[in-house]
Amino acid sequence: MLPADLILINARIMTMDGAVPRAEALAVRNGRILALGSAADMRALASGATRVIDAGGRLVLPGFQDTHIHLQDSGQDYSQNADLTDARTPDDIVSTLAAFAKTHARAWVNGTGWYSGIFHTGNLDRHLLDRAVPDRPCLIVASDGHNACLNSLGCQAVGLTSATPDPQNGSFVRDADGEPTGMLYENAIMWAEARMPRPSDADFAEGVKWAQALAHRNGITGVLDARVEERHVRVYRALEAAGELTLRVAATALVNAFDTTDGAVERLTGFRASAGGERFKVHSAKFFLDGVIENRTAAMIAPYSDAEGGNAPLMFTPGQINEMFTALDAARFQIHVHAIGDLAVRAALDGCEAARRVNGDWPSLHQIAHIQFIDPADIPRFHKLGVMANVQPLWARSEPSVTDVAVPMVGNDRSRWIYAFRSLLDAGAAMALSSDWGVSTLNPFQIIETAVTRQPPVAEGKVPPFLPEERITRAEAIAGYTTGAAAAAWRSADTGTLSPGKCADLIILDRDILTCPAHDIGDTQVVATLVDGEVVHGAV
């Protein structure tokens, strides 16, 4: 056997491989795991040129993979625009934007990350933003990406007036006189951004590099960018060609309601053919079937239960869903669906069932992301249809967007099935855990903690768990970031476990997240992250 390039010793390796679940050392050659075993066995594979890493007795896991993230867009947003994540009052938005505007001379002032569980049409409009930015156009986008707000000069710059019709699957909020308030919902954001100066490819490339460094600091070695178009593909391809892509990036390409089925298949087929490298691929089709509960665009089976009532339609007709899912499934694309309301979840399952009926079963692992609401009758259908639940557990806790917005809007009976992760697993559903960053943190340890506790961090005060019967175990959560995530990204052959022959993607942690107090999991620090046996984070 040829000597190892790298050996890792003095480790508590959890391989996630049932054949060899634990080891104390491993060896790497040419970026792949050569062998696992005792330190003595691995030292026997070393030569004078072999690098030795002493893990100090720490826990070692396969590299985590985040299979629903907006890496390129959020990287550019958070690295180059005003960060409104910590804003909790209208005055916070004003002060943060005003301070940012003083240090940036761009034609527009842009902000990102405001929390739609707190800010809404009652306390956010163009007049508030005029206080912060009176001299230039301004656009701020919520962390969820489904809500945004323009200031008055921004409305003028994009040509938004009382006579502007709403775009398909989007709306402009208007006051009692029919004048735009500046608030934008869903595709109205895309309408506005198409009329604004856009960042350059170089800006987005720098955003990717900033974001992948953040991902590596958090133990992430692979991602699935959950909404890409031609520009995203172009930027990722250029980074890979330049050798600057240290993350494994799979991508899900956006399909719009105004697309034809043949046009969508042709476009995605072109993307896939142009992006088949070692670090970047396009393998799935992204559908937004509804919006979000906070702006009342989540599609529910029954109308909302609060005094305002009403409902939201699906963003694609059932006929479109069945036809497009079937055609893309036949072309061997994975389907990746944004579904918040229980009607959207059901429509996605119906579309997957229609495709399976025509094309037969194959290991697609079509995915439904978010699943904030689900009718209990649909829970067993995930296993039956081979559909994966791609969930974001950080949201499954008592906080304003859930307890103050979602629960009153849907009522107590339907609230029982908010983020029903335990029920899905018990019904045999495959599951991947993810962040949806920049909607919320990409830190997987904070997300795992919430999945296990259904509570915010202790530092935020004592808060009762939200639907504690829907907690999942630590082992299940780790699987959701390793074996489940690798399957979701179609990378199981090479990643997800620390097994001989697979890529040497691994992380070393400062604590054992399987045994430490549950409320300490979120404080975990990543000592080192390796991709293909190369250290991309840490000093080891």
Side-chain angles (χ1 to χ4, degrees), residues 206-244:
E206 287 304 309
V208 171
K209 289 187 278 188
W210 183 89
Q212 74 179 358
L214 176 66
H216 290 327
R217 289 197 299 274
N218 284 280
I220 295 170
T221 57
V223 300
L224 192 156
D225 193 318
R227 182 189 180 279
V228 306
E229 297 180 86
E230 193 278 333
R231 178 258 298 164
H232 300 83
V233 174
R234 187 173 66 242
V235 170
Y236 281 131
R237 286 177 58 199
L239 285 167
E240 182 176 40
E244 295 180 304

Side-chain angles (χ1 to χ4, degrees), residues 466-482:
F466 180 74
L467 298 178
E469 59 270 36
E470 295 295 345
R471 292 166 169 160
I472 66 175
T473 69
R474 302 181 199 213
E476 288 166 337
I478 293 170
Y481 266 111
T482 54

Side-chain angles (χ1 to χ4, degrees), residues 131-148:
R131 288 172 47 199
V133 188
D135 60 339
R136 279 177 283 172
C138 174
L139 173 73
I140 63 171
V141 180
S143 62
D144 60 23
H146 295 260
N147 300 266

Side-chain angles (χ1 to χ4, degrees), residues 383-471:
H383 175 68
K384 179 181 178 182
L385 297 172
V387 173
M388 173 174 271
N390 191 313
V391 302
Q392 296 72 46
L394 191 78
W395 308 339
R397 63 193 198 186
S398 295
E399 59 178 38
S401 63
V402 176
T403 54
D404 298 349
V405 178
V407 172
M409 285 177 68
V410 303
N412 289 333
D413 290 344
R414 286 185 289 182
S415 293
R416 164 61 187 86
W417 302 104
I418 294 177
Y419 302 127
F421 308 147
R422 174 83 269 145
S423 296
L424 284 161
L425 283 173
D426 287 348
M431 183 174 288
L433 271 60
S434 58
S435 67
D436 203 12
W437 184 77
V439 175
S440 52
T441 181
L442 59 67
N443 184 321
F445 306 101
Q446 293 175 6
I447 293 168
I448 289 171
E449 179 181 317
T450 306
V452 170
T453 66
R454 305 277 291 203
Q455 293 173 289
V458 171
E460 296 184 20
K462 289 188 176 181
V463 178
F466 180 74
L467 298 178
E469 59 270 36
E470 295 295 345
R471 292 166 169 160

Side-chain angles (χ1 to χ4, degrees), residues 9-47:
I9 61 171
N10 191 20
R12 287 181 293 118
I13 302 170
M14 182 177 178
T15 67
M16 300 302 293
D17 181 345
V20 184
R22 299 276 183 173
E24 66 177 17
L26 61 76
V28 176
R29 181 173 176 80
N30 293 333
R32 300 253 171 186
I33 295 173
L34 183 64
L36 298 105
S38 68
D41 290 339
M42 297 306 102
R43 285 189 183 278
L45 300 174
S47 69

